[in-house]
Amino acid sequence: MVHEPAVAAPGRPLVSVCIANYNGENLLSECIDSVLAQQGDATIEIIVHDDASSDGSLHLLQARYSQVTVIRSDRNVGFCIANNRMADMASGQYLLLLNNDAALLPDAVATLLAAAGAQQPAGILTLPQYDWETGQLVDRGCLLDPFYTPVPNRDPLRRDVAYVIGACLWIPRALWRNLDGFPTWLGSIAEDMYLGCAARLRGYPVQAIPASGYRHRQGASFGGNRIDDGRLDSSYRRRYLSERNRLAVLAICTPTWLAWPWLTLHTIALTVEGLLLSLLKATPRIWREIYWAALHDAVRRRRELLDHRSALQSKRTIGLGTYMSGSTAMPRKLVLLFRHGLPGIRG
């Protein structure tokens, strides 16, 4: 593996900031302005993929940001395809995937470049994530519990993590191509988890930098995924995608034969969780539209998942122990249940 210096080819940007946008007219300005205000002399290009927005996003981009390259989609294709398209168009040595509901601190790109120059081999990076409204630290990347539920890392001394949130994900463009980007069938949710796990399986570091950071309106671009008034809130669509895609990542990425008993245990746990939550919430819709739908999709896609697993695992360079170093033993859902009670799920 060759280490690439942080030097752009003549006439080419060093960093390509890729912003997936859907109906983000009220979010885009602060996001793009934070990129334009970056300190240092790194050459940066900004690419926005508009996912068939019905608001004034395109008008805003045309009127205020003529320097931004815009990809206009005539239909809504989701986060994975949007970022894959931007990465294909990008010409920078590094990609920075940035949510439209996020904003970088002024030294973010300079901090990422410095850290990228110190990595060997060059891998995936992120910055500390801060809540937009409160300014409180949300995470420094994430670990994974036994059922691939994200566990926020808040330890400033821990740099190596299981994966980093796609709201601010830095990756060399060469590595992105090497990993084939995001699997398009994931749509949205857990695509960042897949990419981090796939990179680690190939021996590339996935790290959170302790300095600088970004502010994030959690859930503004997709809904849910945050705690409001002490209660965990989500939607049927987001919860379904989360359960479906985490199950797929577990099946594809978990190394060695232990993946199969692990997958069986996860399937049983999902079934019990779905039935109990439906019973306690007194609505069969939870089971039908989230848990049964997620399990049914895994069965329907089993051949595709197995083929994907085979291709990925054939390139694995690390053992189970190293892979598990990004994990924690305590099930995250139990922790959230004891702290916040049953989750709210809206239509």
Side-chain angles (χ1 to χ4, degrees), residues 10-37:
R12 298 182 63 180
L14 181 57
V15 181
S16 297
V17 178
C18 301
I19 304 170
N21 176 69
Y22 174 66
N23 286 345
E25 179 183 7
N26 297 324
L27 306 170
L28 274 171
S29 290
E30 288 175 289
C31 177
I32 295 175
D33 288 347
S34 77
V35 179
L36 296 175

Side-chain angles (χ1 to χ4, degrees), residues 218-265:
Q218 298 176 78
S221 61
F222 198 89
N225 193 40
R226 60 174 295 134
I227 296 169
D228 290 314
D229 298 325
R231 184 181 182 217
L232 184 64
D233 176 66
S234 190
S235 66
Y236 278 88
R237 177 65 177 167
R238 185 181 187 109
R239 190 68 180 262
Y240 157 69
L241 288 172
S242 176
E243 302 298 352
R244 184 196 73 169
N245 292 352
R246 288 190 297 105
L247 178 64
V249 175
L250 187 155
I252 292 169
C253 294
T254 306
T256 77
W257 61 270
L258 287 174
W260 307 123
W262 204 337
L263 181 62
T264 301
L265 179 61

Side-chain angles (χ1 to χ4, degrees), residues 262-294:
W262 204 337
L263 181 62
T264 301
L265 179 61
H266 182 52
T267 301
I268 294 171
L270 268 186
T271 301
V272 172
E273 177 186 324
L275 292 173
L276 283 176
L277 194 56
S278 294
L279 181 63
L280 293 171
K281 290 281 188 177
T283 172
R285 183 184 174 191
I286 293 176
W287 166 254
R288 185 177 64 250
E289 295 187 17
I290 298 176
Y291 294 90
W292 169 250

